[in-house]
Amino acid sequence: RLSFTDTAPCGIIPPSMVLSRLLVLLALACVATARGPNGGRNLPSESEINEIGYQRALRSQQRKFSERSPQIGSWDSADPGAIIEMRMNSTVGVVLDNVPQEMRQSLIAYLSAQGTEYWLDRARRQIDLTWYKLVWRMYWTDFEELQIGLPPKSLWNVNLVSTPTVFQDEALFDGHHVLAVDYVFTAYLLTSKESVPDSSAALTERWGSTFMDYVLPVDPDYPLQRLGKACMDEAEFPPGSMDTMNGHSFYDYDCAGVADPDTYVPEAYACHITAPFPSEDCATVVPEVVGTVPTNMYFTRLPFDNDLADSVRIELDQPSDNADIAPQAERVGKNRITYTYMTEGACSIEEGCSGLGWRRLLRFDGTSVNVGSATMHIGRVTSMSGSPDPSPGATDALDMVQNHVYEFSECHQHMHFQHYSSYHYGTGMDCNPFTNLNSVGQACSAADPCSESDTDHSCSLGTKLAWCLESINRELNSERIPLNSPYWLCAYQGITVGWADEYIAGIPCQWVDVTDIELPAGDYPLSFTTNQQGLLCEGDLLRNETGSVIFEPTTPPLLSQKGFQINRPLCNYTKDYQKNDFAVANAKYSPSGSFINDACTSLSHSFERDCGWTEWHPLLTCEAGETVSFNVSAFAKTGNVAADLGLVYRVCESSHVLKQGTACSHIDALAYGQLVHGASVASTFTCPTARADDEPGGLFSLYVAPYMSGVTLGSPANIATGYYVSDGERISFNPTTTTSTTRAPTSTTGSNVQNDAIHVQPLISMVTMLIVSVLSFM
């Protein structure tokens, strides 16, 4: 990590395009000398971290319950709260290295002509990359200081302080061709002054300041696609949670590579827990691939100002007196369909989240905010008997385990919260979140479905076992909302007032399986329901004469995954507490395709992007395991600058069972590249091999997109394609022909794909070409 203490050898190095890039090299040298075995985090063992985290959280809780207040006569004693200013100066840009030289100047001119919103949007995406280190700041402060999280994006202020500047030829940006601008980010955290010391003692003083240091990629787009797993920190997520749309949530420049990826066994709280493991450090990859911006996020305690507080306050008119958990419809609306191949032994199969084989999964963000006035406290949750949680007024988490609300998962090797939430998608009667229980009172799922009389194919259902309840994001911004939360570790769970527990799209089982749903293309309601069974007390807990929480059997009886009866804590619920336990938003459905076929929501330009793709051919055949080679080229220029930047192509695996392409993301593509007008590109890939008897391999699909989003492609009738396999037999197909049968899939056992595939036939011509018409710019 960059070290900016008085005794450190490295000084503060602000990013600016006018500074010599030698300063950047100096900063990177400082980073390299400060890295530890876990990427800048010299961590103790898992059990030690759990104990440290618990004791640190307990100390914060005890301070809270003692109702500590500033001393009479202190400088802020009369203030109703505290205001913390966040500020960061940075540089954000577009890396041009992969843009062909003959097209680079056209792209520079086109992007330079874009309005300020284009650059502000890029700056916000770079700011997103600071999130991980702020939420789990404790790892970088020896567990002495808690979070200082980003406020809601509605409070972000981003101001450009330069015009677009080109770095190329002899004046590169950290060794890269870049078009970049400088900007300043500011935001104001309105918080309870009692909570400030737990984040930083420096912020208890008027104009007191502290900071977090960063090294950010100058181009923030596609962190997983471009940087691979080298910069992805999985320590606080379940295995397999990353995808190309959530990579910014994992960015950690301090992550170190694995010395021997083939024999590496993931360590607790290390960066990399999902194979394949990267061998390179993030600090090596970012400078090589995109270029770096060393910077600091500063936090400064301001004198309280009522006008400023009024302008940044986010609060409810009449919050409940108790804990009140509310799912957020806006986050449910952030959804996407993906193709995922499920195999025997996957934890998601064991938990009944999906079936085997290729599945179409509707993934979405699941965010629940505590909008009440009391903490949703659970406490210390372990897989062992442990000692009772001594926090004053706390639910005894050990009782939650003994009553099977929590249960140890042998598959995931951590505790699961049973029946945390349920999901529903579609229009059928079963989509009522309060009537979709099966015979044992559980939400219908692939593993334990409802009977045919109780369900139909116009609805799909899902259920979620919580990984752990943590306070991840600070969603409200007011004098009553703490600046930090003690619930940042699975060893000590709960949701602080104004904070949210969040499950990002990508986390296993954070989805509804829509593979077998039968609906016409369109938008349908996707709902997210929490606490449907009352396992969390949104009210006042009832206790016996000894102070222990009283539990009662669930009715109808809920069973844990291991078959035990689940009991719920007795609770004097707040009136109408279930009214906001339900959130719904529309989700787009189509019988085939995935999120890569959705329109881009911002101006995008790269073959790495995962939006704006069109499927040209879904079922093309090849010999399983053989090398497929092809040449591609495109028409001459049209005179439209955006259109003439060319096209991009992608090859994905196809499914025999689903009889469709899998519309894969960039990191799952078999082949990809860029088509420049008037040029030819050679590409190869290995024909998909067998996954199972009903998926014998030998099928692939072709997708194309304009290099610049917003350009419309021509019709399939204007396209012809050819390729040849490794044995030299030259073969071709016509996309408008689906009846030729001279070559079939290697095996069709259990498959009925023959009549739907475009089978290839011998081609006499020596020219193999993909010709794509680019029409009008939208």
Side-chain angles (χ1 to χ4, degrees):
R1 295 186 293 128
L2 287 173
S3 180
F4 294 143
T5 61
D6 292 339
T7 58
C10 310
I12 296 176
I13 305 175
S16 172
M17 294 190 292
V18 299
L19 289 179
S20 166
R21 299 310 295 169
L22 290 175
L23 293 180
V24 175
L25 296 177
L26 173 61
L28 294 177
C30 296
V31 172
T33 61
R35 293 173 57 76
N38 287 293
R41 303 177 305 179
N42 294 303
L43 302 181
S45 68
E46 178 180 11
S47 60
E48 289 172 329
I49 286 180
N50 288 340
E51 186 62 29
I52 290 171
Y54 168 66
Q55 295 297 334
R56 181 65 185 85
L58 183 58
R59 190 171 76 204
S60 175
Q61 285 291 87
Q62 290 172 333
R63 184 184 300 180
K64 173 184 175 182
F65 281 109
S66 69
E67 296 183 351
R68 179 186 56 82
S69 59
Q71 295 181 350
I72 301 298
S74 63
W75 73 273
D76 63 348
S77 60
D79 293 341
I83 299 177
I84 310 294
E85 180 194 62
M86 300 180 68
R87 178 178 293 268
M88 184 177 77
N89 300 337
S90 191
T91 301
V92 69
V94 179
V95 172
L96 306 169
D97 296 343
N98 291 329
V99 180
Q101 183 66 41
E102 61 269 28
M103 303 305 300
R104 189 172 295 164
Q105 295 308 313
S106 295
L107 180 60
I108 290 172
Y110 185 76
L111 296 180
S112 297
Q114 299 302 306
T116 57
E117 187 56 37
Y118 170 78
W119 294 103
L120 293 175
D121 188 50
R122 296 191 73 80
R124 296 183 194 106
R125 293 201 292 272
Q126 189 184 62
I127 297 166
D128 279 336
L129 298 175
T130 68
W131 178 82
Y132 189 98
K133 196 171 178 179
L134 291 175
V135 172
W136 286 286
R137 182 169 172 260
M138 298 67 66
Y139 291 122
W140 284 268
T141 64
D142 294 328
F143 303 96
E144 286 301 314
E145 297 181 337
L146 299 182
Q147 314 94 325
I148 309 180
L150 287 167
K153 287 190 177 181
S154 61
L155 299 180
W156 292 14
N157 301 301
V158 182
N159 295 297
L160 304 182
V161 293
S162 74
T163 57
T165 301
V166 180
F167 293 83
Q168 59 182 347
D169 302 327
E170 300 302 321
L172 300 177
F173 190 101
D174 199 17
H176 298 274
H177 299 84
V178 176
L179 178 65
V181 299
D182 286 337
Y183 70 90
V184 177
F185 162 72
T186 56
Y188 297 92
L189 300 170
L190 181 59
T191 185
S192 65
K193 57 191 175 186
E194 293 81 10
S195 66
V196 171
D198 282 325
S199 287
S200 175
L203 297 178
T204 62
E205 302 293 331
R206 188 195 306 263
W207 302 112
S209 183
T210 187
F211 63 90
M212 291 294 286
D213 51 279
Y214 286 95
V215 180
L216 302 174
V218 64
D219 190 329
D221 285 348
Y222 324 121
L224 180 58
Q225 294 95 309
R226 288 177 171 172
L227 307 175
K229 291 185 176 181
C231 300
M232 301 292 105
D233 195 332
E234 303 177 81
E236 295 298 331
F237 293 90
S241 296
M242 290 182 300
D243 65 26
T244 58
M245 301 299 285
N246 66 19
H248 60 276
S249 297
F250 296 79
Y251 179 79
D252 180 359
Y253 187 81
D254 294 334
C255 279
V258 174
D260 188 351
D262 294 333
T263 61
Y264 175 70
V265 177
E267 303 172 2
Y269 297 101
C271 285
H272 309 300
I273 60 175
T274 305
F277 305 110
S279 59
E280 293 185 291
D281 294 354
C282 183
T284 300
V285 174
V286 179
E288 288 180 353
V289 177
V290 292
T292 57
V293 180
T295 187
N296 298 320
M297 181 74 78
Y298 288 98
F299 307 90
T300 304
R301 176 74 178 270
L302 303 182
F304 196 86
D305 181 274
N306 287 311
D307 291 337
L308 177 57
D310 290 343
S311 70
V312 299
R313 186 179 293 109
I314 298 178
E315 185 55 283
L316 302 179
D317 291 335
Q318 293 181 320
S320 165
D321 292 336
N322 299 298
D324 187 7
I325 307 303
Q328 301 299 293
E330 176 191 3
R331 305 299 174 85
V332 176
K334 295 181 178 180
N335 52 68
R336 57 185 181 269
I337 291 179
T338 67
Y339 287 81
T340 303
Y341 192 84
M342 296 293 180
T343 58
E344 290 282 1
C347 293
S348 56
I349 299 295
E350 178 181 300
E351 294 166 9
C353 301
S354 70
L356 291 169
W358 281 110
R359 311 301 296 181
R360 298 185 72 222
L361 306 175
L362 175 58
R363 300 175 183 264
F364 63 97
D365 289 350
T367 301
S368 299
V369 182
N370 185 353
V371 297
S373 298
T375 293
M376 176 59 73
H377 177 78
I378 294 174
R380 192 175 194 179
V381 178
T382 67
S383 59
M384 301 171 289
S385 58
S387 57
D389 182 351
S391 300
T395 301
D396 190 345
L398 177 60
D399 280 349
M400 297 281 274
V401 176
Q402 292 174 338
N403 283 277
H404 306 290
V405 176
Y406 278 88
E407 189 171 73
F408 187 76
S409 168
E410 301 295 340
C411 189
H412 277 132
Q413 289 294 297
H414 58 238
M415 301 299 289
H416 276 166
F417 189 114
Q418 310 281 309
H419 304 282
Y420 170 70
S421 59
S422 58
Y423 314 142
H424 317 80
Y425 179 63
T427 60
M429 290 298 294
D430 283 339
C431 286
N432 183 332
F434 296 101
T435 63
N436 69 317
L437 303 181
N438 59 24
S439 58
V440 293
Q442 296 174 313
C444 305
S445 67
D448 195 359
C450 295
S451 66
E452 285 298 320
S453 61
D454 296 328
T455 189
D456 58 44
H457 293 290
S458 61
C459 180
S460 185
L461 310 169
T463 183
K464 176 67 176 176
L465 301 173
W467 190 44
C468 57
L469 295 180
E470 295 179 331
S471 299
I472 303 299
N473 286 323
R474 190 174 182 269
E475 297 290 333
L476 300 181
N477 199 52
S478 76
E479 294 89 340
R480 75 183 182 98
I481 308 303
L483 184 61
N484 47 66
S485 171
Y487 307 111
W488 52 271
L489 194 68
C490 281
Y492 195 74
Q493 298 188 27
I495 308 178
T496 296
V497 173
W499 284 71
D501 179 33
E502 181 166 32
Y503 292 85
I504 60 174
I507 288 179
C509 291
Q510 185 59 41
W511 63 57
V512 172
D513 190 327
V514 297
T515 309
D516 302 319
I517 200 170
E518 295 178 4
L519 287 171
D523 292 336
Y524 299 95
L526 170 64
S527 66
F528 171 32
T529 306
T530 59
N531 206 24
Q532 185 173 337
Q533 313 303 327
L535 300 179
L536 294 173
C537 180
E538 297 182 72
D540 295 314
L541 286 165
L542 300 182
R543 299 175 179 273
N544 60 24
E545 61 278 4
T546 66
S548 297
V549 177
I550 303 171
F551 284 77
E552 66 175 357
T554 50
T555 306
L558 292 176
L559 299 181
S560 74
Q561 283 224 302
K562 296 181 179 179
F564 294 104
Q565 164 80 46
I566 295 176
N567 301 318
R568 60 173 157 244
L570 278 179
C571 179
N572 184 14
Y573 293 103
T574 301
K575 182 181 179 181
D576 297 327
Y577 81 95
Q578 285 188 322
K579 184 177 294 184
N580 63 358
D581 284 350
F582 173 78
V584 63
N586 279 338
K588 178 183 177 182
Y589 174 79
S590 60
S592 64
S594 77
F595 68 102
I596 75 164
N597 305 120
D598 295 338
C600 298
T601 57
S602 60
L603 186 62
S604 301
H605 37 84
S606 173
F607 55 78
E608 297 144 324
R609 76 171 188 265
D610 280 333
C611 61
W613 290 86
T614 299
E615 182 183 70
W616 285 128
H617 303 303
L619 297 172
L620 307 178
T621 61
C622 55
E623 295 289 349
E626 295 292 323
T627 299
V628 178
S629 304
F630 59 95
N631 295 324
V632 292
S633 61
F635 278 141
K637 295 182 179 180
T638 66
N640 183 301
V641 174
D644 286 344
L645 289 171
L647 306 169
V648 289
Y649 66 90
R650 178 177 297 178
V651 178
C652 300
E653 186 174 352
S654 291
S655 167
H656 288 257
V657 173
L658 301 182
K659 296 187 288 185
Q660 55 189 242
T662 58
C664 58
S665 68
H666 174 76
I667 61 174
D668 294 321
L670 302 175
Y672 53 81
Q674 181 176 353
L675 307 178
V676 179
H677 291 288
S680 180
V681 177
S683 185
T684 63
F685 65 92
T686 300
C687 182
T689 56
R691 291 180 177 269
D693 288 344
D694 59 355
E695 291 289 359
L699 280 183
F700 67 95
S701 48
L702 176 66
Y703 299 81
V704 295
Y707 178 81
M708 182 71 67
S709 64
V711 175
T712 300
L713 298 177
S715 66
N718 296 329
I719 302 171
T721 309
Y723 65 93
Y724 58 93
V725 294
S726 58
D727 61 7
E729 179 185 1
R730 201 172 292 274
I731 49 183
S732 178
F733 57 84
N734 185 324
T736 62
T737 301
T738 60
T739 58
S740 60
T741 59
T742 57
R743 180 183 290 265
T746 304
S747 172
T748 55
T749 304
S751 171
N752 56 1
V753 75
Q754 297 98 316
N755 295 329
D756 297 278
I758 300 176
H759 300 306
V760 295
Q761 57 188 350
L763 174 70
I764 298 177
S765 170
M766 298 299 290
V767 179
T768 59
M769 181 177 297
L770 169 62
I771 306 174
V772 181
S773 230
V774 181
L775 299 182
S776 61
F777 175 65
M778 300 291 289

